[in-house]
């Protein structure tokens, strides 16, 4: 009887380990461990935040002009430090990064800010990953590439996509053109670009570098883009600007846009999406 009891206990312990491992795996891949939100209000504050320092500038764009160094207007890069016209998923995954979270080797870039045609480097970027859909999220597939905003815009694009401000404590309303910000570190000039968060579930890129993703409406993804993914808002912070003519390297002040190349460590990103966004939690800025 003691031997039978021991075997039964051992089997139960082994089964518990298997079930726990299965539950953990399910939580990382998304589905049963996820939570469906009932209202958009439940999504307020559901995010995790990344701080990424400025890395470098270059007239390169591995999405629009891959393999063609110097073929683009000038960009300011954060995240993966190796980003260039020749970047691949493999090169970015093995890159060092300016981001504070381990495993955050994704690449981000925006057109360089110019004052009197002289480049002004951003101090760094704050990057929000939010949940904007009632249904739970999938992680980005490795190698996904997308552009948000219009590099050729000559009129305001709308604040849903991009705007300038001086921070939440800046006392300056969000606007389409570059404001004059008050003195103070919490009132620095910021450029915001918001990415779409509904994916077609098939393509890692598209001819427009945009059409494979779409923005949700009322917390739901359209049938053409049924896979909900994290909503990225990329915010570049700038030092106090000298007086003069201010524009972006892509032209004027209305041409704000941003590029994202998904090259996170997959397990790190999955744990953040499931543990924060699908769990309806705010997880802060990390280390």
């Amino acid at each position: 009887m003691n031997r039978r009891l021991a075997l039964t206990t051992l089997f139960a312990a082994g089964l518990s380990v298997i079930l726990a491992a299965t539950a953990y795996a399910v939580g990382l891949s998304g589905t049963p461990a996820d939570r469906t939100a009932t209202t958009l209000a439940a999504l307020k504050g559901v995010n995790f935040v990344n701080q990424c320092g400025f890395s470098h500038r270059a007239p390169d764009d591995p999405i629009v002009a891959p393999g063609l160094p110097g073929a683009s207007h000038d960009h300011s890069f954060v995240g993966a430090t190796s980003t260039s016209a020749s970047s691949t998923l493999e090169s970015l995954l093995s890159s060092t990064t300016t981001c504070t979270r381990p495993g955050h080797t994704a690449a981000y870039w925006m057109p360089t800010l110019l004052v009197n045609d002289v480049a002004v480097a951003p101090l760094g970027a704050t990057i929000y990953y939010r949940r904007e859909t009632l249904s739970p999220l999938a992680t980005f597939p490795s190698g996904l590439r997308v552009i948000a905003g219009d590099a050729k815009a000559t009129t305001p694009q709308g604040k849903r996509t991009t705007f300038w401000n001086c921070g939440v404590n800046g006392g300056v309303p969000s606007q389409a053109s570059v404001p004059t910000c008050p003195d103070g570190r919490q009132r620095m000039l910021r450029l915001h670009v918001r990415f779409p968060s509904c994916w077609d579930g098939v393509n890692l890129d598209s001819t427009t570098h945009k059409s494979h993703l779409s923005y949700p409406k009322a917390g739901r993804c359209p049938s053409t883009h049924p896979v909900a993914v994290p909503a990225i808002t990329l915010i570049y912070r700038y030092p106090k600007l000298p007086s003069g003519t201010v524009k972006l390297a892509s032209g004027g002040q209305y041409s704000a846009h941003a590029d994202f190349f998904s090259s996170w460590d997959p397990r790190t990103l999955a744990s953040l999406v499931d543990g924060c966004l699908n769990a309806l939690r705010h997880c802060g800025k990390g280390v």
Side-chain angles (χ1 to χ4, degrees):
M1 290 295 291
N2 289 340
R3 183 182 178 189
R4 180 177 297 177
L5 179 60
L7 288 172
T8 301
T9 302
L10 183 62
F11 174 78
L15 182 60
S16 296
V17 170
I18 293 171
L19 290 174
T22 301
Y24 178 69
V26 166
L28 287 182
S29 62
T31 51
D34 300 336
R35 298 181 189 174
T36 299
T38 56
T39 65
L40 290 176
L43 302 179
K44 186 176 182 179
V46 174
N47 61 60
F48 62 89
V49 189
N50 302 269
Q51 297 292 348
C52 299
F54 169 64
S55 174
H56 61 285
R57 292 192 299 108
D60 288 0
D61 192 324
I63 294 178
V64 175
L68 298 173
S72 171
H73 53 256
D74 201 70
H75 286 109
S76 295
F77 295 85
V78 301
T81 59
S82 68
T83 311
S84 71
S86 302
S87 289
T88 63
L89 174 60
E90 292 71 23
S91 70
L92 294 174
L93 282 170
S94 61
S95 177
T96 57
T97 180
T98 65
C99 299
T100 55
R101 288 184 185 273
H104 189 182
T105 50
Y108 311 83
W109 57 98
M110 283 211 221
T112 296
L113 183 66
L114 305 172
V115 179
N116 296 325
D117 292 323
V118 177
V120 177
L123 297 173
T126 301
I127 307 172
Y128 284 87
Y129 276 62
R130 294 185 170 99
R131 177 168 161 180
E132 293 187 346
T133 58
L134 301 176
S135 57
L137 307 182
T139 59
F140 297 113
S142 294
L144 181 77
R145 301 175 295 283
V146 62
I147 298 174
D150 184 358
K152 297 181 180 180
T154 57
T155 57
Q157 297 185 57
K159 295 178 185 178
R160 180 188 187 192
T161 303
T162 184
F163 62 86
W164 303 84
N165 73 1
C166 301
V168 294
N169 299 314
V172 177
S174 301
Q175 55 193 63
S177 57
V178 178
T180 299
C181 293
D183 291 335
R185 188 165 182 81
Q186 299 302 316
R187 299 176 176 180
M188 292 176 176
L189 178 66
R190 290 162 169 81
L191 176 56
H192 300 239
V193 176
R194 174 175 167 258
F195 286 81
S197 57
C198 295
W199 177 44
D200 67 11
V202 177
N203 297 292
L204 297 181
D205 201 354
S206 56
T207 54
T208 63
H209 312 295
K210 298 178 182 181
S211 60
H212 55 307
L213 280 96
S214 177
Y215 291 93
K217 293 182 179 180
R220 301 185 187 281
C221 287
S223 59
T224 54
H225 297 75
V227 182
V229 293
I232 297 174
T233 299
L234 178 60
I235 306 170
Y236 271 28
R237 306 183 310 276
Y238 297 94
K240 186 174 179 60
L241 302 183
S243 59
T245 302
V246 181
K247 64 181 181 181
L248 293 166
S250 47
Q253 297 184 5
Y254 298 140
S255 64
H257 61 284
D259 300 55
F260 168 59
F261 196 130
S262 181
S263 53
W264 277 82
D265 170 73
R267 194 171 184 85
T268 300
L269 179 59
S271 65
L272 286 167
V273 169
D274 285 326
C276 303
L277 306 185
N278 284 337
L280 301 178
R281 295 175 55 218
H282 167 65
C283 293
K285 298 180 180 180
V287 295

